[in-house]
Amino acid sequence: MDDTEKKRVRHALEAVGGIMMMQGVVGLIHAFTGWLTWGLIRHLGFLDGREVYGSITLIVLAVAVLAAAESRLGPRPEDPDREDPDPEGPGPKGSDQQA
């Protein structure tokens, strides 16, 4: 899998995870306050009376999808414009100790 394919898969997983997270949060907000009636969870008939559990499950699954996007495909590439604050690393050991 080349870099462009990895980026596409990562972006797709991040989009799916973000939508899942948003729907889970909207479901919890609706369950506790009655606001935001456009969420997916409340329209699923088999979850009648169990919307809170469905919303929490959706949030947990969203975290898993987002973690899979990050870990399976490797870390995001570093920003090429970002400069390393100390390219040489820390000084020699013991240099801050007095003789």
Side-chain angles (χ1 to χ4, degrees):
M1 187 181 281
D2 65 346
D3 287 339
T4 57
E5 289 178 2
K6 284 184 179 182
K7 287 180 184 178
R8 287 181 184 162
V9 170
R10 178 187 313 242
H11 289 303
L13 286 174
E14 287 175 348
V16 169
I19 291 170
M20 290 171 65
M21 180 72 72
M22 180 185 64
Q23 288 295 320
V25 169
V26 166
L28 285 177
I29 290 172
H30 178 72
F32 291 121
T33 65
W35 299 346
L36 302 175
T37 60
W38 50 267
L40 173 71
I41 292 292
R42 72 183 216 61
H43 294 291
L44 298 176
F46 64 91
L47 288 176
D48 284 343
R50 299 177 191 93
E51 289 88 359
V52 173
Y53 299 117
S55 296
I56 291 171
T57 301
L58 197 55
I59 291 171
V60 169
L61 289 174
V63 169
V65 168
L66 292 171
E70 187 68 25
S71 68
R72 182 73 174 157
L73 299 173
R76 287 186 171 273
E78 290 295 324
D79 185 9
D81 297 330
R82 189 175 127 198
E83 295 180 18
D84 192 6
D86 188 8
E88 296 176 6
K93 291 187 179 185
S95 65
D96 60 339
Q97 295 177 356
Q98 295 178 355

